[in-house]
Amino acid sequence: MTNPKLPAPYMDDLARLRAVLDSAVDGIVTIDDRGHIEAVNPATERLFGYSASELIGRNVSMLMPSPDREQHDQYLANYLHTGERKIIGIGREVSGMRKDGSTFPLYLAVSEVSFGYRRVFTGFLHDLTQLRQAEEELRQRDTQLRFMIEHLPAAAAYVNAVTKTVRFNPVVERITGFKAQELATLDDCFTKLFRRRAVGLRKRYESDKAAWLEQPLRLPIQRRDGEVRVVEFRGYRYDDHEVWLVNDVTERDRQETELRIRNQAIQASNEGVVIADAARSGCPIVFVNRAFETLTGFQADEAIGRGFELLCGHQSETQAAEQFKLAIAEHSEFRSTVRCFRKDGTAFWNEISVAPVRAACGTVTHLVAVMEDVTERRRAQQQLLQSERLAAIGQMVTGLAHESRNALQRAQACIDMLSLDLEDSPEQLELTGKVRRALDDLHRYYEEVRNYAAPINLQRRSTNVARLWQDTWRTLESSRRDRNFQLIEVPGDCSTICDVDEHRLEQVFRNVMENALAACPDPGQLTVSWQSTTIDNQEALRISFHDNGPGFELVAAENAFQPFFTTKQKGTGLGMAIVKRIVEAHGGHISISDRDTNERPGAEIVIVLPRHA
């Protein structure tokens, strides 16, 4: 017999029920009172990997791992016999076993339905795999986070902005001296750590969280034992949660304060101070004080980043400068007086002391140089030395003056008489002529020494200095008669009128020009140029004599104005020393210009004279 056809409404309800079961996300399994599967939905097939045909009619225990598989039928029999529920109507977490033998966590809820004499049980199966994975990841993350916080070298605090509760890691306890439970709330933290400042800081925190959290905030706190420490707070906020990182910076704060004090002292010092990074190639400068800027003309932003050799300015090839460069390369101590150059090219004598700064491991990290302009001191020392020399020469010249002059006169008279007797002997006359010239040289040398030792008394008057060097050049016509040598004037945009002693200044020009004539090959030229300048805040005239000769060698340039120094085979070596005395007596100065030989070869003598006495 066939079942009578169900009415249409029942057929529709059955279709809707089937559609619901088929579309359910969770697995649904129906079994009879013997545990045999009567129906499964598609979700169950996906969950366990079986098809419906493989499941229907078989014992539901096939979906369970041991020991539940072996004991399931007994569980069911016990329930049917005693009515004691363990899963039915309650639900609990169990394990399921897929077709491939793998197990996974399930949440199982079982309902019971009776149809007359039959009992049917329906199980609702929810896969907990992803939930358990998420819970495990969360647990591991929480464990890792807790481990990180507990073992952070810095203090960390978690703040619940809703409940106003705080949790600290152990470092906070070491910094503050308080136990975590003593700082369990925000009120505890502010009251116990900031004491009298608690109210004001709490208001500041509540009113401006952005300023409190986003920027590092350095505040003094008071430990449980009363000691004051400086701590730095840095906060991070997410929704209603805050994390504070708290770092004890007491020692750093003290060192920074000391550093500021030292920096102020260094800036106030009259000596130039320069610090260079020895760990980097070329030892770049990382700090200069204001005295360095005044001393060298280089501003801090021009000096920082440049090599430590900037202290010597342009390349100064003196022995001391070479030793200084070697000390930089070897990171060793150095102390000497070096002829250096400012930004504008002017030279000065620089007393430099360099000391290395070492790290705890012994490595040199920085070089510190202290600089002092000792030009005036050196000039005074040289003047004192010169005075002593002059005094010695003066005493010698005073003692020898009378006898030497008389001896020269007697020798000259004897030569004159001898010449009369030898008129008929040309060869003998030639010899007497040589003796006479030797006596003249000796007389000239004597006069040079006497002039150098004698005091300089100037007879100043307003003079066209250009006329003086032009007249001096004309007096040397006999010396350049057989030479291709010319004087070139490059007019400046200023007057050449100065208050000078004409006779003395002619001596200066004559000596400079004679040296140029002696040094330059043919064709030779001496270029004279002039311009306005200042000396000791007074108007002055700067005169440059530049020839096309070989120029000065280093030793000659450094000693040209020293008494008795000469590169000539003949002469006393007092010519340029006398020139220097005359120029300085006028209140001016004379120097050998330092220039790049590739730019403009030759020697350049620069004379600066004040315009007014």
Side-chain angles (χ1 to χ4, degrees):
M1 293 178 61
T2 60
N3 293 327
K5 186 176 181 181
L6 294 175
Y10 292 102
M11 292 295 292
D12 292 342
D13 289 342
L14 186 60
R16 279 195 293 271
L17 178 60
R18 172 57 61 184
V20 170
L21 293 177
D22 289 346
S23 62
V25 175
D26 291 337
I28 302 175
V29 180
T30 303
I31 64 173
D32 60 17
D33 55 7
R34 294 177 299 168
H36 293 165
I37 298 173
E38 292 187 348
V40 298
N41 68 341
T44 302
E45 295 178 295
R46 294 191 297 271
L47 196 59
F48 290 94
Y50 290 102
S51 63
S53 60
E54 292 177 294
L55 294 173
I56 294 174
R58 299 186 62 183
N59 195 298
V60 74
S61 62
M62 67 180 294
L63 302 179
M64 305 174 188
S66 296
D68 292 338
R69 170 180 291 189
E70 292 78 15
Q71 298 176 358
H72 177 265
D73 290 344
Q74 185 63 40
Y75 293 156
L76 186 59
N78 289 339
Y79 169 71
L80 294 174
H81 178 69
T82 63
E84 181 181 353
R85 297 185 175 191
K86 293 186 177 180
I87 297 180
I88 298 172
I90 300 175
R92 69 177 182 183
E93 185 176 337
V94 297
S95 294
M97 187 173 70
R98 299 185 182 91
K99 182 179 180 179
D100 60 8
S102 61
T103 60
F104 61 98
L106 285 171
Y107 183 80
L108 173 62
V110 181
S111 63
E112 179 185 2
V113 180
S114 297
F115 296 98
Y117 62 91
R118 292 187 66 233
R119 287 182 176 183
V120 177
F121 300 94
T122 302
F124 298 89
L125 309 173
H126 180 70
D127 188 355
L128 297 177
T129 302
Q130 293 184 351
L131 177 63
R132 291 294 172 260
Q133 288 177 348
E135 289 177 347
E136 179 61 22
E137 290 177 1
L138 185 61
R139 186 190 64 79
Q140 291 180 359
R141 193 175 303 170
D142 183 68
T143 301
Q144 293 170 354
L145 182 61
R146 183 180 298 275
F147 179 84
M148 290 173 60
I149 293 176
E150 293 296 325
H151 293 82
L152 271 176
Y158 166 78
V159 180
N160 188 318
V162 177
T163 63
K164 309 297 184 183
T165 56
V166 185
R167 290 180 60 186
F168 289 105
N169 70 345
V171 183
V172 176
E173 297 181 347
R174 293 198 296 269
I175 293 177
T176 67
F178 289 97
K179 297 296 182 182
Q181 57 268 26
E182 294 179 283
L183 301 175
T185 67
L186 280 175
D187 288 337
D188 293 336
C189 294
F190 279 92
T191 302
K192 294 177 179 178
L193 296 179
F194 300 114
R195 310 289 174 94
R196 287 178 296 179
R197 302 181 61 198
V199 175
L201 288 174
R202 180 65 182 275
K203 289 181 179 178
R204 180 179 169 185
Y205 163 74
E206 296 293 351
S207 62
D208 194 356
K209 290 288 185 69
W212 181 275
L213 294 175
E214 293 178 3
Q215 300 296 329
L217 187 63
R218 191 172 292 190
L219 295 171
I221 65 167
Q222 193 164 355
R223 284 170 45 89
R224 199 175 194 279
D225 58 10
E227 180 186 0
V228 176
R229 306 291 292 180
V230 180
V231 298
E232 186 176 78
F233 291 87
R234 183 186 291 270
Y236 304 90
R237 185 180 181 89
Y238 178 74
D239 293 337
D240 293 326
H241 308 281
E242 295 173 9
V243 174
W244 298 352
L245 295 181
V246 186
N247 191 21
D248 187 345
V249 294
T250 305
E251 291 304 315
R252 188 201 310 170
D253 188 75
R254 180 186 61 79
Q255 293 172 1
E256 289 174 355
T257 302
E258 291 180 357
L259 187 60
R260 284 194 299 271
I261 295 172
R262 292 176 184 176
N263 185 54
Q264 291 173 358
I266 291 173
Q267 291 291 6
S269 173
N270 292 326
E271 296 179 331
V273 178
V274 184
I275 302 176
D277 187 348
R280 293 166 57 190
S281 176
C283 287
I285 295 172
V286 295
F287 171 84
V288 298
N289 68 344
R290 286 188 290 270
F292 170 87
E293 297 176 331
T294 303
L295 183 63
T296 66
F298 290 98
Q299 297 301 307
D301 56 352
E302 296 176 299
I304 292 175
R306 297 182 64 175
F308 208 40
E309 293 182 3
L310 176 68
L311 274 61
C312 279
H314 307 309
Q315 294 299 322
S316 179
E317 300 300 332
T318 62
Q319 183 178 2
E322 290 301 314
Q323 292 173 350
F324 173 69
K325 295 173 186 176
L326 182 62
I328 295 173
E330 296 181 349
H331 299 166
S332 59
E333 292 187 1
F334 173 84
R335 182 181 179 88
S336 184
T337 301
V338 184
R339 188 166 181 259
C340 298
F341 297 86
R342 298 184 177 89
K343 181 182 177 181
D344 60 7
T346 58
F348 68 101
W349 287 98
N350 187 4
E351 186 174 88
I352 303 179
S353 297
V354 178
V357 178
R358 300 182 183 276
C361 62
T363 303
V364 176
T365 60
H366 293 82
L367 294 176
V368 178
V370 178
M371 308 166 55
E372 182 181 3
D373 184 352
V374 295
T375 305
E376 292 304 320
R377 185 198 309 169
R378 187 181 177 89
R379 182 178 300 166
Q381 291 172 345
Q382 290 177 339
Q383 289 175 348
L384 178 61
L385 178 62
Q386 183 177 359
S387 298
E388 292 174 350
R389 288 175 176 174
L390 288 176
I393 295 171
Q395 292 176 358
M396 178 189 68
V397 172
T398 301
L400 296 177
H402 181 70
E403 296 300 329
S404 298
R405 184 172 297 174
N406 288 340
L408 288 173
Q409 290 175 350
R410 289 195 300 271
Q412 187 69 45
C414 292
I415 290 297
D416 292 340
M417 294 175 63
L418 184 60
S419 297
L420 293 175
D421 295 336
L422 298 176
E423 289 181 352
D424 297 332
S425 178
E427 294 180 357
Q428 299 299 324
L429 283 176
E430 184 179 355
L431 291 175
T432 58
K434 290 181 179 180
V435 173
R436 184 180 288 109
R437 287 191 295 273
L439 290 175
D440 290 341
D441 289 342
L442 183 60
H443 181 71
R444 186 174 68 255
Y445 296 155
Y446 165 76
E447 288 299 320
E448 283 188 5
V449 173
R450 188 178 65 81
N451 288 335
Y452 181 72
I456 297 178
N457 297 314
L458 300 179
Q459 301 296 323
R460 293 176 183 260
R461 66 177 182 178
S462 181
T463 302
N464 185 346
V465 176
R467 178 184 58 80
L468 287 183
W469 73 60
Q470 292 165 0
D471 291 346
T472 304
W473 181 252
R474 280 192 289 270
T475 64
L476 295 174
E477 182 176 358
S478 59
S479 301
R480 52 186 172 84
R481 180 172 299 158
D482 299 327
R483 300 282 307 279
N484 181 10
F485 208 108
Q486 59 179 335
L487 179 71
I488 300 174
E489 292 181 314
V490 180
D493 57 354
C494 64
S495 168
T496 57
I497 302 297
C498 292
D499 293 340
V500 297
D501 185 314
E502 293 186 10
H503 172 68
R504 292 292 190 176
L505 200 57
E506 282 181 347
Q507 285 183 264
V508 172
F509 293 153
R510 184 181 184 89
N511 197 295
V512 172
M513 290 176 176
E514 285 180 340
N515 286 342
L517 285 169
C520 295
D522 286 342
Q525 68 179 37
L526 180 63
T527 302
V528 185
S529 60
W530 62 92
Q531 64 186 56
S532 289
T533 185
T534 59
I535 181 172
D536 297 332
N537 297 321
Q538 299 182 50
E539 292 184 9
L541 177 65
R542 182 184 187 274
I543 309 168
S544 167
F545 293 90
H546 183 246
D547 63 40
N548 67 335
F552 284 96
E553 294 183 357
L554 179 62
V555 175
E558 291 186 341
N559 297 280
F561 300 109
Q562 295 297 321
F564 308 110
F565 177 84
T566 180
T567 58
K568 300 177 183 178
Q569 294 182 351
K570 299 175 63 177
T572 60
L574 290 172
M576 293 301 287
I578 294 173
V579 165
K580 186 173 186 290
R581 285 194 66 206
I582 294 173
V583 172
E584 290 181 348
H586 280 82
H589 67 76
I590 184 170
S591 63
I592 297 174
S593 178
D594 294 274
R595 57 174 63 251
D596 186 348
T597 56
N598 294 323
E599 174 190 347
R600 192 180 177 191
E604 183 179 25
I605 305 295
V606 177
I607 300 172
V608 179
L609 296 170
R611 290 191 179 276
H612 305 288

